[in-house]
Amino acid sequence: MGKATGFLEIDRKDRSYDAPAERLKHYREFVIPHDDTTLKGQAARCMNCGIPYCHNGCPVHNQIPDWNHLVYENDWRTALDNLHSTNNFPEFTGRICPAPCEASCTLNLIDQPVTIKSIECAIVDKGWKEGWIEPQVPAHKTGKSVAVVGSGPAGLACAQQLARAGHSVTVFEKSDRVGGLLRYGIPDFKLEKHLINRRLVQMMAEGVEFRTSVEVGVTVSVASLLENFDKVVLAGGAEDPRPIGIPGFELPGVRYAMEFLTQQNKRVAGDDEIRAAPRGSLLATGKHVVVIGGGDTGSDCVGTSNRQGALSVTQLEIMPRPPEKEDKALTWPNWPLKLRTSSSHEEGVEREFAVLTKRVLGENDVSGLECVRVEWKNGKMEEVEGSTFVIPADLILLAMGFVGPRKQGLLEQAGVELDARGNVKANTSDYHTSHERIFSCGDMRRGQSLVVWAIREGRQCARAVDEALMGVSELPR
């Protein structure tokens, strides 16, 4: 370990943000990074625990104590190599991952975990700045070909690993740009898209071919992929949104969160209004906005609505308000249930918990939302008598999660078996579906989850495909 007493001498200091009044004026990232001296001190806080519980918290199994020590020693180049050995895209996870590794950190027992996420992001950002990140072109081609359907984090990780193993990889993406959830599901103020673009340049130099505006199951058939490729990987997302099913939900002012977020990302990318909004422009400007759903997607809707100039933003959550602080003795080192306030929440929102929506008010369009307060008793929800109330609303955004992948087209044609939740059925040892030449990974297989989980599954699936093609694989799991 870099400094045996570092955690005793140095307090946790995470990255700060630009003031809300300033960052609401634009859609750029607003995190203020540390300088190298501060980062060295933060890395010195790592205790190099006998059992590194941070490994348990990190889905891709980043070797966190190792690269913390290397940063402390100012060996940034080796730290970058170590980081890339487990994670293809640390600049993504270093920005948008909720950092379960920090929740698992031993120092989190006293609410002072190592700033793992900030250090991870600093390592890879320095790697790009210094020109250390270059294409890893395979020395030999295998003559084998793989089609990867979906260009989100799972598809990108899988494709990059397979290309580095020497296979010819083609990624099919139904949208006009590559990136999936990274491109159109996450606002630019959390992840600027030039970060994706430079990875795509690297991957194309490594031999990956990208085909955009091609929807497998519609534009091209699954049968044609099976005819032209040795293996097919289904790496799409869990894109089927959870419906609300209350009276009035069909009114024009009730829209799904992904439609709202995608439109704004397209505007930031420079698309004209018609291209950004094929179903009509969707803006929060001058409106009372209600976001139904208390997760990250709902938070992204809050931040985007405020930047568009909403008159008010209210976020509803059906579950009770979580505790401000978790009971460490009960939860650590696992991910705790506690109240989480995002940077978007800090920019302005009214948060309501234990609220059930009853009906949307309005004739030709939305005018309000009728709700009732609920109590949870023995795991069951009960409405509180006499607690009905109305929230004024001009725009209602549905951010209640997803029920699984869309079945029409791709999955219907693939004919693969689905699990009880409606996801593609495949295990995590070989990622094989019920079709001998089709594999699946990421949200299409596990259901909606984190970007870091998608990267892990993409990497593991790549190894499974490589092994199926060659009989043996040197790719890491």
Side-chain angles (χ1 to χ4, degrees):
M1 61 195 300
K3 189 172 185 179
T5 57
F7 69 98
L8 297 172
E9 300 170 8
I10 304 170
D11 291 332
R12 173 184 167 92
K13 183 180 180 182
D14 210 346
R15 296 170 293 184
S16 58
Y17 301 148
D18 291 336
E22 291 301 315
R23 64 189 193 235
L24 282 173
K25 298 176 183 177
H26 59 77
Y27 290 88
R28 300 185 303 275
E29 292 180 12
F30 50 80
V31 177
I32 302 173
H34 289 317
D35 57 34
D36 287 0
T37 301
T38 303
L39 286 164
K40 178 178 178 179
Q42 290 301 299
R45 299 185 65 246
C46 182
M47 300 170 68
N48 197 15
C49 306
I51 299 177
Y53 291 99
C54 55
H55 287 193
N56 178 68
C58 178
V60 294
H61 304 308
N62 280 336
Q63 298 169 25
I64 296 163
D66 299 73
W67 44 255
N68 275 330
H69 172 75
L70 290 165
V71 168
Y72 176 76
E73 296 289 343
N74 285 321
D75 191 353
W76 291 86
R77 184 81 183 253
T78 307
L80 178 68
D81 292 341
N82 185 295
L83 182 55
H84 271 142
S85 71
T86 58
N87 187 349
N88 293 66
F89 315 117
E91 65 268 43
F92 303 159
T93 52
R95 285 172 166 82
I96 60 176
C97 184
C101 53
E102 293 189 18
S104 296
C105 177
T106 301
L107 285 173
N108 191 39
L109 285 168
I110 56 171
D111 292 318
Q112 289 284 309
V114 175
T115 54
I116 300 168
K117 179 177 174 179
S118 295
I119 297 170
E120 173 186 26
C121 194
I123 293 170
V124 67
D125 284 355
K126 182 178 282 291
W128 283 109
K129 181 181 178 181
E130 298 294 334
W132 298 334
I133 301 175
E134 298 177 328
Q136 297 181 27
V137 181
H140 305 283
K141 299 292 284 187
T142 64
K144 304 293 185 179
S145 61
V146 183
V148 177
V149 183
S151 70
L156 291 179
C158 185
Q160 185 168 57
Q161 293 294 94
L162 287 169
R164 289 175 175 178
H167 306 305
S168 296
V169 182
T170 302
V171 177
F172 293 85
E173 170 54 55
K174 68 178 184 296
S175 297
D176 58 343
R177 296 182 178 93
V178 172
L181 173 73
L182 298 168
R183 176 75 64 179
Y184 287 134
I186 298 171
D188 289 72
F189 56 80
K190 289 175 65 176
L191 180 70
E192 293 186 18
K193 307 315 174 193
H194 68 87
L195 301 173
I196 304 172
N197 296 339
R198 68 186 180 187
R199 278 294 180 186
L200 302 183
V201 172
Q202 179 196 36
M203 292 178 65
M204 287 187 286
E206 293 170 346
V208 178
E209 178 185 351
F210 292 99
R211 295 186 60 187
T212 56
S213 300
V214 178
E215 184 171 358
V216 179
V218 178
T219 313
V220 299
S221 67
V222 175
S224 69
L225 295 191
L226 290 170
E227 181 180 350
N228 291 291
F229 294 88
D230 295 305
K231 302 292 182 183
V232 175
V233 176
L234 305 181
E239 296 181 302
D240 195 5
R242 189 180 305 279
I244 192 166
I246 60 175
F249 78 93
E250 72 284 351
L251 289 171
V254 181
R255 306 289 274 272
Y256 285 109
M258 278 301 124
E259 184 182 3
F260 177 66
L261 296 174
T262 297
Q263 279 195 22
Q264 184 53 50
N265 282 12
K266 284 178 173 287
R267 293 187 192 98
V268 174
D271 289 357
D272 60 40
E273 199 65 21
I274 296 175
R275 186 180 178 196
R279 290 185 55 204
S281 182
L282 180 56
L283 289 165
T285 310
K287 296 179 180 179
H288 296 288
V289 179
V290 177
V291 179
I292 303 178
D296 288 339
T297 301
S299 172
D300 292 343
C301 289
V302 170
T304 302
S305 296
N306 280 323
R307 281 165 177 75
Q308 290 182 356
L311 290 178
S312 68
V313 184
T314 305
Q315 185 176 21
L316 307 181
E317 168 59 60
I318 196 171
M319 299 301 293
R321 183 184 182 92
E324 296 282 345
K325 190 176 184 303
E326 74 271 28
D327 185 340
K328 306 285 188 184
L330 288 176
T331 61
W332 183 86
N334 297 317
W335 183 250
L337 174 65
K338 67 176 182 178
L339 183 66
R340 302 181 190 278
T341 300
S342 70
S343 59
S344 291
H345 292 142
E346 294 171 351
E347 295 163 359
V349 64
E350 183 70 27
R351 302 173 75 182
E352 294 275 1
F353 295 88
V355 169
L356 176 68
T357 56
K358 298 293 289 184
R359 64 189 178 104
V360 179
L361 305 178
E363 296 184 4
N364 297 320
D365 207 344
V366 172
S367 64
L369 183 64
E370 183 180 301
C371 308
V372 65
R373 301 199 181 275
V374 296
E375 292 179 339
W376 291 83
K377 298 179 179 179
N378 300 320
K380 295 183 179 180
M381 181 183 68
E382 297 180 6
E383 296 184 12
V384 177
E385 187 175 352
S387 67
T388 300
F389 64 100
V390 173
I391 302 174
D394 306 302
L395 175 62
I396 297 173
L397 299 173
L398 307 180
M400 303 172 297
F402 303 85
V403 295
R406 291 195 175 100
K407 310 303 187 295
Q408 300 83 2
L410 172 63
L411 296 186
E412 287 178 345
Q413 290 187 17
V416 293
E417 185 179 351
L418 306 180
D419 64 19
R421 297 170 60 205
N423 302 318
V424 176
K425 187 175 182 180
N427 60 47
T428 56
S429 60
D430 60 19
Y431 289 88
H432 252 120
T433 68
S434 55
H435 191 292
E436 63 176 357
R437 290 173 55 207
I438 300 179
F439 299 72
S440 185
C441 61
D443 287 7
M444 185 167 275
R445 190 205 70 83
R446 67 179 287 119
Q448 76 172 82
S449 190
L450 303 176
V451 168
V452 67
W453 272 106
I455 293 172
R456 167 181 170 157
E457 293 216 351
R459 288 171 61 88
Q460 292 186 340
C461 183
R463 178 184 169 89
V465 173
D466 185 37
E467 193 169 17
L469 288 170
M470 308 303 293
V472 65
S473 177
E474 294 181 358
L475 291 174
R477 277 184 60 85

